[in-house]
Amino acid sequence: MKIWLNGGLHDLDSARVSVFDHGLTVGDGVFETVKAVAGRPFALTRHLDRLARSARGLGLPEPDLDEVRRACAAVLDANPMELGRMRVTYTGGLSPLGSDRGDQGPTLVVALGEAKRRPDSTAVITVPWTRNERGALTGLKTTSYAENVVALARATEQGATEALFPNTVGQLCEGTGSNVFVVLDGEIHTPPVSSGCLAGITRALAVEWTGARETDLPLDVLDRAEEVFLTSTLRDVQAVHRVDDRELPGAPGPVTAKAMRVFEERAADDLDP
Ligand code: PLP
C-alpha cells in the first residue's frame, strides 16, 4: 500500500507523522472520504471544495488543491482496485510543543483502502445526544469525530449501522456519517443544512436528482415516515428497514428504490476521468 504524505508517495509502513502533529494533539484537522471506482474518483471537485471550506472554517492554512488533486491521482495509480475509499486528511501540522523541530507546515495524507458494497437496506437508531446547529464546527468536516464514534458504537450494540442525531431544538439532523431522508405523502424531504447537518455531497446530488425538498422536520417524523433512507459517499442511497423498534417492511419502498436507481444512473457521469 502506497500513501501520499507531505509531497510524495511512501510505503505505508515507512510513512511517519510527528507525535506533535496538531491533528493528533488537539484534533484540528479536516478530512474527506472519496469513493473511487476502478481508479476514478467520484465527485472529487466537490470533495476538494468542501475540504478547503472546512480548512478555512478551522483557520488552517489554505490547502493547495492542485497538490491534493495530484496526490489523489498518484495514490489511485499506485494502488489499483475496483472499489476504493480514499481518505484525504489535512491538519495544521506541528503543535507548539513540536515547534523546535523545524517544519511548521500543514500535514497532508492521502490513503486508499478497499470499499465494500453496502446492502440495499439497513437498521438505524436514534440517540439522545444532540448536534449543535450553531457551533463553531457546524458544517465542517473535521477530524474531531469522537462524538460520532460513541454514537456509532451504541448503534452497533443494537444491531444497527447508523445513529441519527436530533439538533438542539429537537429537529431531525443527520447520522454519524450520513444524511437522512424521509418520504411523507410520497414526497421526499431532508433536513436543511441549517439543521446543523454536514452539507453531504451525496445529499446534494440526491436533492438535485430526485427533487427532494429541504424541510425542517421534528425527530418524531421517523415514527410516521412511509420510507426512510440514508445518503453518504460509501452508502450512496441506502434504504432503512428499521428505526429503533419501528420496522419498515419492504424497504427499499418504491420512492427509495427509484431514488437508488436514479442515483446509480446519474452518478456514473460524475466520475473524474
Ligand atoms: N454527515 C456526516 C457527519 C458525515 O461525516 C458524512 C460523511 O462522511 C455525511 C454526512 C455524508 O456526506 P457525503 O455524502 O459527502 O459523504
Side-chain angles (χ1 to χ4, degrees):
M1 172 66 58
K2 296 271 190 201
I3 71 160
W4 183 278
L5 172 62
N6 293 343
L9 283 177
H10 298 258
D11 285 326
L12 181 57
D13 292 344
S14 61
R16 293 284 175 270
V17 173
S18 166
V19 293
F20 294 118
D21 193 281
H22 253 239
L24 186 63
T25 56
V26 290
D28 65 342
V30 297
F31 78 102
E32 286 294 322
T33 300
V34 183
K35 185 172 64 171
V37 182
R40 296 164 71 196
F42 176 66
L44 184 61
T45 300
R46 289 174 189 255
H47 282 286
L48 297 188
D49 287 350
R50 188 171 63 188
L51 185 82
R53 239 180 15 251
S54 298
R56 246 172 260 136
L58 275 192
L60 299 179
E62 190 74 19
D64 175 349
L65 294 187
D66 289 336
E67 187 201 348
V68 183
R69 214 177 254 286
R70 272 200 311 280
C72 292
V75 168
L76 287 167
D77 255 12
N79 305 284
M81 62 184 72
E82 194 42 42
L83 185 62
R85 48 189 300 173
M86 184 163 59
R87 158 104 185 194
V88 180
T89 309
Y90 180 75
T91 82
L94 292 189
S95 68
L97 269 178
S99 58
D100 56 340
R101 298 185 161 219
D103 178 17
Q104 285 289 302
T107 297
L108 172 66
V109 181
V110 180
L112 183 69
E114 301 263 3
K116 283 193 238 118
R117 295 221 175 262
R118 301 290 169 121
D120 278 354
S121 77
T122 194
V124 306
I125 63 163
T126 54
V127 286
W129 310 302
T130 54
R131 278 277 197 259
N132 181 357
E133 66 282 5
R134 289 179 297 139
L137 301 184
T138 303
L140 309 182
K141 196 162 164 65
T142 76
T143 53
S144 309
Y145 251 47
E147 192 161 57
N148 293 317
V149 170
V150 172
L152 193 56
R154 178 170 289 199
T156 307
E157 272 165 26
Q158 298 184 20
T161 69
E162 183 57 303
L164 299 178
F165 288 88
N167 64 14
T168 67
V169 291
Q171 293 164 336
L172 179 63
C173 186
E174 66 174 343
T176 65
S178 63
N179 292 105
V180 58
F181 289 68
V182 296
V183 178
L184 299 169
D185 294 327
E187 304 265 353
I188 309 176
H189 299 263
T190 192
V193 168
S194 58
S195 71
C197 68
L198 184 75
I201 287 162
T202 325
R203 171 191 178 281
L205 294 172
V207 166
E208 198 179 315
W209 294 342
T210 67
R213 295 195 193 152
E214 298 177 85
T215 313
D216 284 324
L217 302 159
L219 184 66
D220 68 9
V221 75
L222 295 170
D223 299 340
R224 54 193 159 81
E226 293 131 40
E227 299 176 33
V228 178
F229 64 84
L230 305 175
T231 62
S232 81
T233 292
L234 296 176
R235 294 176 192 266
D236 293 329
V237 175
Q238 187 181 40
V240 169
H241 60 245
R242 175 163 62 83
V243 182
D244 295 325
D245 293 333
R246 182 182 177 217
E247 301 285 342
L248 290 145
V255 178
T256 305
K258 186 168 172 207
M260 291 164 92
R261 252 191 338 269
V262 168
F263 190 88
E264 195 174 336
E265 285 164 15
R266 298 285 301 266
D269 299 334
D270 230 291
L271 290 168
D272 280 13

